């Protein structure tokens, strides 16, 4: 007998991720997708910050795909919070846009490498020491 969750997944054509079972974006590689984290500006809600980041990128040269906010934030042990985003398609074009937007806004970027949260300024923290929250 199938459960209601199994039936929903069948109808929707994919796995439904339960809140308490979510993967941290960037821990598990996904072919054709790249994950980055941008520093919280301390002023705006995450959705507005995401939009400001892309609006600040100037001309976006990406030719395919897109970028989305991933609803996850990572807080450093004694420091800022970073918000997840991912992009697919023209990986190099979207990466350049995100980097340009972060640079224009004076924000750091970060990524996950194995068990480490690596920040663009050279610092690195074990993920186990960071506070992880999902929206």
């Amino acid at each position: 007998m199938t459960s209601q969750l199994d039936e929903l997944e069948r109808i929707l054509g994919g796995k439904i991720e339960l809140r308490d079972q979510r993967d941290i974006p960037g821990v598990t590689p996904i072919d054709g997708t790249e994950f980055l984290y941008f520093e919280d500006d301390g002023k705006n809600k995450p959705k507005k910050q995401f939009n400001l980041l892309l609006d600040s990128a100037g001309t976006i040269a990406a030719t395919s795909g897109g970028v989305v906010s991933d609803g996850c934030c990572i807080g450093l042990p004694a420091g800022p919070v970073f918000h997840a985003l991912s992009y697919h398609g023209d990986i190099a074009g979207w990466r350049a846009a995100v980097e340009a937007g972060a640079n224009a806004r004076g924000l750091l970027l970060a990524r996950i490498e194995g068990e480490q949260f690596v920040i663009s300024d050279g610092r690195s923290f074990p993920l186990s020491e960071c506070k992880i929250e999902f929206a």
Side-chain angles (χ1 to χ4, degrees):
M1 176 178 261
T2 61
S3 72
Q4 288 180 336
L5 180 60
D6 292 336
E7 183 62 16
L8 262 175
E9 288 176 343
R10 185 192 65 72
I11 292 167
L12 296 172
K15 179 127 179 77
I16 296 173
E17 206 173 49
L18 300 176
R19 190 170 289 232
D20 62 344
Q21 297 173 338
R22 290 193 65 187
D23 283 336
I24 301 166
V27 168
T28 304
I30 298 174
D31 285 340
T33 301
E34 191 167 277
F35 299 89
L36 281 178
Y37 288 77
F38 62 93
E39 182 181 19
D40 188 283
D41 67 9
K43 301 175 204 165
N44 299 293
K45 292 185 179 196
K47 182 178 180 178
K48 183 169 185 178
Q49 290 181 61
F50 174 78
N51 291 332
L52 288 170
L53 178 76
L54 293 176
D55 289 347
S56 301
T59 301
I60 296 177
T63 58
S64 66
V67 59
V68 296
S69 174
D70 281 326
C72 176
C73 62
I74 295 181
L76 300 182
V81 170
F82 289 78
H83 301 282
L85 59 78
S86 62
Y87 40 88
H88 67 281
D90 182 353
I91 298 287
W94 288 114
R95 183 186 314 118
V98 170
E99 289 172 348
N103 186 50
R105 301 198 69 237
L107 301 174
L108 296 171
L109 294 174
R111 66 190 179 288
I112 293 175
E113 291 183 7
E115 297 293 320
Q116 296 289 312
F117 191 65
V118 180
I119 303 168
S120 58
D121 65 3
R123 292 178 293 156
S124 177
F125 297 88
L127 274 174
S128 60
E129 293 179 13
C130 298
K131 182 178 181 183
I132 297 160
E133 293 183 2
F134 292 97

